[in-house]
Amino acid sequence: MKIDSATLQAPSPLAVAERGPTPSGRITPANPGFCKVLGHIDPIDPKAPPIKFQVNLPVEWNGRSVQYGGGGFNGVLITGLGLPPAYPFDKPSPLARGFVTYGTDSGHESKPGEPPQVFALNDEAFENFAHRAYKKVRDASVALMERAYGKKPEKMYFMGSSEGGREGLTMAQRYPDDFDGIFARVPVINWVGLQHAGTRSGLVTMGEGWINPAQVKLFADAVRTACDKADGSDKTLVHDPVACKAVFKVETLRCEAGKAGDQCLTEAQIKAVSTLHGTYKFPFVLANDLDDYPGWGVSGEDTPAFGPTGGWSAWWLGRAPPAQPPAPNNGIAWIYGAGGIQYVFARDPKLDVTTYKVEDHKARLLEVSKLMDSTDPDLGRFRGRGGRLIVLEHMADYAQSPYAGIRYFESVERKLGKAETAEFARLYTAPGVDHVGSGAPANVDMLSALVDWVEKGKAPGDLEVTEQKVESPSFAVLRAMPLCRWPAWPRYKSGPVTEAASFTCAP
């Protein structure tokens, strides 16, 4: 560990940007006086990049810390100064509450104009991205806290979303003694499966399979018509997307013979949707005895893009059919998946992805799966030392399939037992919410829920999520809903559909 700089930062005010990559990304919370430490950890391989990190040491420390996870393929320094995943916009930031906060770039820096997966050509850089960087930065941060305050932290927490959610589960599985509480939102746990399923879903939209924005709305309207009334509220939100996926049939939108247009789907487009919804199957077994990736669900297909994110158009389809090399107007799943095939699995930047065959790269897939797939259900050691885990899946997520996280949680229950799992872990599912928290109520203070569980023994039950206006200083609540423990869903009782009290959680 080498300290590059340490500067005392004066208290800063709340600021809200006009635009941002996510709703919470527009908010720079008010922070107190703190010491900002920038550092790096040198690599073993001189050709590998260093691991950069930032640690924020508040003047008034509460004895706790929060490590923030990253996103995508990382390559950007996570400062720990923003809001953690799902965090209400109007709550004091963890740093303002007295937590030491910190994050890392995971051991590489993304450069403008380069594919985000270039770093994966270096073995050490990729292993740092997989798990080593987060462990090394965690340990370096503990050493800094001890140096600054004269003692180690009393409790340590990890909060991450997407790739950061995978990192959180990685820490619970690989380093079960390091954290007391972990929150993993929309975790990309079956990483190898996601890259291949995302690529496959892109390949079927090349040419005639691509679906235009008007047809996306057609599909989303059909889903709402078929499923929205089931809970009794009839307010454009599918409350039980699992049941909806079972009953909704894309074939009902098939064009009549010889016809095409915005009011129906062609055979190629129906095949594309069925591919998205279907399971991706590998011809061999990957880490933890998995050989597939579950398909995506229904609802939220036309969620408006918030910056680059939202619904099918952002994650799956983009604004144009997939290109090689991936273009900026392609869907994010194609940009990530096709680039992953080239740089991570085939390790051939010039590969024509349409010619890629999984069987030809079995050894590399097994190697990557062992590094990246956070799918080990044996959390016995984490549970045994008092660790607490909360997983949150968004059911209108098209960046990764929420069914992967649901399946993982159920595998933990099978491994350890349902009653035993309930002692230390929770899975929540949020209907209508996309990957980054748009589309439906999604804000909830999971940090306080973890602290209460870890430090007071208060296990969380069903919670409440809110949708807030990104407008300071009030951040007014637009609507609220129950956040139900899996496998329950919000059921409408009576009253205003914008209030959580109008619903109950029911299986």
Side-chain angles (χ1 to χ4, degrees), residues 162-505:
S162 189
E163 158 58 23
R166 183 198 69 84
E167 293 161 17
L169 286 172
T170 292
M171 303 312 282
Q173 294 166 23
R174 287 184 181 270
Y175 308 107
D177 298 326
D178 282 2
F179 291 94
D180 300 287
I182 294 173
F183 173 44
R185 183 177 80 161
V186 295
V188 183
I189 53 175
N190 187 347
W191 196 87
V192 173
L194 174 60
Q195 305 309 317
H196 285 79
T199 303
R200 179 189 70 166
S201 296
L203 289 171
V204 292
T205 64
M206 283 184 164
E208 295 181 357
W210 192 72
I211 300 169
N212 69 41
Q215 291 170 316
V216 172
K217 186 178 186 308
L218 171 77
F219 188 96
D221 285 342
V223 169
R224 284 188 287 265
T225 299
C227 300
D228 178 35
K229 295 179 181 180
D231 78 314
S233 66
D234 192 20
K235 290 295 180 182
T236 71
L237 181 63
V238 176
H239 291 90
D240 187 347
V242 174
C244 183
K245 182 177 181 179
V247 300
F248 180 77
K249 305 299 179 187
V250 63
E251 291 80 9
T252 59
L253 299 175
R254 179 183 279 114
C255 294
E256 295 180 11
K259 293 186 178 181
D262 292 347
Q263 296 308 307
C264 62
L265 299 180
T266 65
E267 287 297 334
Q269 292 171 324
I270 287 175
K271 178 184 176 183
V273 174
S274 298
T275 299
L276 179 75
H277 289 168
T279 299
Y280 180 94
K281 189 82 170 175
F282 289 94
F284 46 81
V285 176
L286 298 171
N288 301 307
D289 297 322
L290 293 179
D291 65 354
D292 64 359
Y293 187 80
W296 277 262
V298 296
S299 78
E301 293 82 6
D302 62 346
T303 299
F306 196 104
T309 60
W312 276 5
S313 295
W315 294 104
W316 179 31
L317 299 167
R319 298 187 300 277
Q324 291 196 85
N329 62 356
N330 288 158
I332 300 171
W334 173 255
I335 294 171
Y336 282 1
I341 296 298
Q342 292 173 320
Y343 288 91
V344 177
F345 300 106
R347 286 188 153 178
D348 177 4
K350 297 181 180 179
L351 174 76
D352 177 354
V353 178
T354 64
T355 67
Y356 171 80
K357 290 183 174 60
V358 171
E359 297 85 348
D360 296 340
H361 304 277
K362 178 179 179 179
R364 178 61 179 165
L365 263 70
L366 294 176
E367 181 182 15
V368 173
S369 183
K370 187 176 180 181
L371 283 170
M372 289 293 300
D373 287 344
S374 301
T375 52
D376 183 355
D378 189 358
L379 297 178
R381 189 167 156 191
F382 180 72
R383 172 200 169 213
R385 51 91 58 195
R388 298 293 182 263
L389 170 68
I390 296 177
V391 179
L392 172 59
E393 287 290 0
H394 294 167
M395 298 309 296
D397 186 351
Y398 292 101
Q400 62 93 36
S401 173
Y403 293 92
I406 291 170
R407 181 172 70 177
Y408 172 72
F409 189 84
E410 291 179 338
S411 74
V412 175
E413 290 182 323
R414 285 193 299 273
K415 179 73 176 180
L416 302 180
K418 279 193 175 185
E420 291 78 5
T421 300
E423 292 176 3
F424 78 98
R426 292 285 185 272
L427 170 63
Y428 295 94
T429 48
V433 186
D434 79 347
H435 191 62
V436 301
S438 298
N443 292 0
V444 57
D445 183 2
M446 287 299 193
L447 180 55
S448 292
L450 275 176
V451 169
D452 285 347
W453 199 3
V454 167
E455 301 178 24
K456 301 175 184 177
K458 183 182 176 183
D462 296 325
L463 302 174
E464 182 178 311
V465 280
T466 61
E467 183 177 11
Q468 294 174 281
K469 195 171 185 179
V470 188
E471 188 176 273
S472 65
S474 66
F475 297 110
V477 173
L478 301 175
R479 54 179 171 166
M481 285 186 63
L483 182 63
C484 304
R485 287 177 58 186
W486 172 262
W489 302 103
R491 301 293 185 193
Y492 179 70
K493 297 184 299 182
S494 62
V497 295
T498 55
E499 296 180 8
S502 300
F503 297 83
T504 187
C505 288

